[in-house]
Amino acid sequence: MSEQGTSSATRVIIADDHPVVILGARAALDQAGDMLVVGEAADGDRLMALLASRPCDVLVTDFSMPAGRHGDGLQLLDVIRRRYPRLPVAVLTMVNNIGVLRAMQTRGALGLCDKRAPMRELPNAIRSVAAGRAYVSESIRQQFAMADTPAADGAAPVRLSAREMEVVRLYVGGLSLTQIADRLSRSVKTVSRQKRDAMRKLGIDHDSLLADYAREHGMA
C-alpha cells in the first residue's frame, strides 16, 4: 500500500526469519487495502528496536526466530507484553502442541495463525485483534477441540508447565542447559530440574526420545 491515503490504515509490524513469509504476509496485507506494513524484522532484537521506534496498531510475529538478547518464543512474548501491554499481537506459527499454543495465549497472543493456512486469512486475523477480539485459525481451533475431548481409554492427557515446555523446546532445538539458563535468566540447576520433570511426566528416559516426542507433538 502506498503512503498516500493511509491515514486510517491499520499499521502493522511483521516479524519472521523467513523472507518468503514476510513477502507473503506483505502481499496479503497490501491486497487487503486497509493495512500498512510499517516495519519488518527477522529476529527478536530487530523487532524490539522497531517497536521502540515505529508506532504500530498490530504486531504479527513468528514464534520461533533466531534469538538475541530478547530471546524468542514465550520469552519474547513476555517481553512484548511487559513493554507494550496494550499492543494486539497475532502469532504466526507451525507449532501444534496444545500446551504451547495455550501458553502463547496466556502470554498475550490474541491471535493464533497457522502458517500452513492460506495467507489470505491474515488480514482477518489482524482486523480481529485490532478490535480486541481473539482470532484462532480453523486448524488450531480443531486441535483445541480435540484436546478437550476425553480420550477413549479415559486416561488424562500429560500436561507440562509452560516453563517445562519452553525448556524442552529450546533443548531439542540444540541449546545446552547452560545456554537455556542464560537465555531464560534461570539457574542451570532450575533448567536441569525442569527438563528432568518434563521427561518424568512424559515417561521418557533418554534425550533422543525427548526429541522424538517434541517433533511428534509440534514443539520442535
Side-chain angles (χ1 to χ4, degrees):
M1 179 185 293
S2 66
E3 296 290 339
Q4 190 173 18
T6 61
S7 59
S8 62
T10 300
R11 299 166 299 177
V12 183
I13 286 178
I14 305 172
D16 198 288
D17 61 321
H18 294 95
V20 66
V21 175
I22 294 282
L23 288 173
R26 178 181 277 278
L29 270 54
D30 284 348
Q31 188 171 9
D34 59 345
M35 299 174 193
L36 175 66
V37 177
V38 297
E40 301 172 357
D43 57 53
D45 288 351
R46 176 59 178 159
L47 170 58
M48 297 310 298
L50 277 175
L51 290 173
S53 62
R54 299 188 188 179
C56 72
D57 302 306
V58 173
L59 166 63
V60 176
T61 181
D62 192 7
F63 183 69
S64 299
M65 294 188 291
R69 292 181 300 112
H70 300 288
D72 70 342
L74 299 179
Q75 181 187 10
L76 182 59
L77 289 177
D78 281 340
V79 173
I80 293 168
R81 184 174 64 168
R82 186 166 60 249
R83 297 190 183 181
Y84 306 97
R86 296 176 182 266
L87 177 63
V89 177
V91 175
L92 278 172
T93 184
M94 293 185 70
V95 169
N96 58 22
N97 179 272
I98 295 301
V100 177
L101 290 167
R102 284 179 172 154
M104 293 181 201
Q105 291 179 315
T106 62
R107 294 313 207 277
L110 195 55
L112 296 179
C113 301
D114 191 339
K115 274 191 175 182
R116 291 156 292 204
M119 194 62 77
R120 62 177 177 271
E121 82 164 17
L122 188 57
N124 291 332
I126 291 171
R127 294 186 188 104
S128 290
V129 301
R133 301 189 304 268
Y135 183 93
V136 180
S137 290
E138 175 62 27
S139 56
I140 298 177
R141 287 201 299 270
Q142 291 175 1
Q143 293 174 58
F144 282 151
M146 291 176 61
D148 292 335
T149 302
D153 59 5
V158 174
R159 296 192 182 278
L160 302 183
S161 71
R163 289 175 177 264
E164 290 166 349
M165 289 187 293
E166 190 73 340
V167 167
V168 170
R169 183 181 74 86
L170 293 173
Y171 186 78
V172 301
L175 297 187
S176 68
L177 295 180
T178 299
Q179 290 171 320
I180 295 171
D182 289 341
R183 172 86 58 89
L184 302 180
S185 299
R186 303 173 196 168
S187 69
V188 175
K189 181 178 180 181
T190 296
V191 168
S192 178
R193 174 177 54 77
Q194 289 167 340
K195 172 177 171 285
R196 187 171 62 251
D197 288 347
M199 294 178 71
R200 174 181 52 78
K201 289 180 181 180
L202 297 172
I204 290 173
D205 60 2
H206 195 278
D207 286 352
S208 64
L209 298 178
L210 183 63
D212 290 342
Y213 175 88
R215 284 192 293 270
E216 290 170 4
H217 290 80
M219 297 173 66

